[in-house]
Amino acid sequence: MIEEEAVVTRVDGNRVAVEKERKSACSGCQQSSCASGVTSRLFAGKTVSLWASASGEFKPGDRVVIGLREDALVQGAFLIYLFPLAGLFAGALLGQFVAAHTGLLDSDTLSALGGLGGMALFFAGIRFSSFKLGTDASPVVLRKIS
């Protein structure tokens, strides 16, 4: 289980809204030449808000440890990274096929436009679909920090 510290901002029955500061996974060095150092400085101080399942008594301001199962992280990565990439390739291949059989535009232009359109279509599908990873994919409050 992946664990992070967060602060409770709202309580709603057996769910709590938590906020945590966004940080890089390797925030130790902060080198300017390292991509992680650059992104950690870019997003420094920004917070992430999310809902977590909770059992117990919590109130706003409580510091807690939230946990996310590793397989839920992998499922989310597939959804966010691999599906749009598949849309990019499918759109590019479709654009190349259409260009070869219709002669509307040259193959490279229609392939690039098809790839961008396919990727955008997959991102829109993910954003506006009712697809859910399941209830055990949501974070849970593991414990309160004293």
Side-chain angles (χ1 to χ4, degrees):
M1 182 152 303
I2 299 166
E3 296 181 2
E4 287 284 333
E5 289 185 18
V7 177
V8 174
T9 57
R10 212 166 89 196
V11 179
D12 181 25
N14 61 349
R15 296 181 340 146
V16 294
V18 295
E19 273 188 0
K20 67 173 276 338
E21 188 173 327
R22 187 177 299 198
K23 63 181 178 181
S24 170
C26 108
S27 60
C29 66
Q30 301 288 324
Q31 292 181 359
S32 59
S33 62
C34 174
S36 292
V38 171
T39 55
S40 69
R41 282 192 309 282
L42 183 65
F43 293 113
K46 299 193 179 184
T47 58
V48 176
S49 299
L50 52 104
W51 286 95
S53 302
S55 58
E57 293 293 321
F58 298 99
K59 61 184 182 313
D62 285 346
R63 296 190 50 76
V64 295
V65 174
I66 57 172
L68 180 67
R69 291 185 25 221
E70 287 90 355
D71 62 329
L73 181 66
V74 171
Q75 289 174 351
F78 273 108
L79 184 67
I80 297 299
Y81 293 112
L82 288 182
F83 287 165
L85 188 61
L88 174 76
F89 286 129
L93 289 173
L94 182 64
Q96 192 170 23
F97 177 80
V98 168
H101 288 81
T102 62
L104 294 174
L105 292 171
D106 70 90
S107 173
D108 291 341
T109 303
L110 206 52
S111 181
L113 290 173
L116 291 174
M119 185 171 61
L121 189 64
F122 269 70
F123 272 129
I126 290 169
R127 172 67 178 102
F128 297 112
S129 75
S130 61
F131 177 77
K132 301 287 183 217
L133 291 175
T135 56
D136 29 331
S138 63
V140 296
V141 176
L142 299 175
R143 63 187 171 276
K144 191 186 297 190
I145 300 173
S146 320

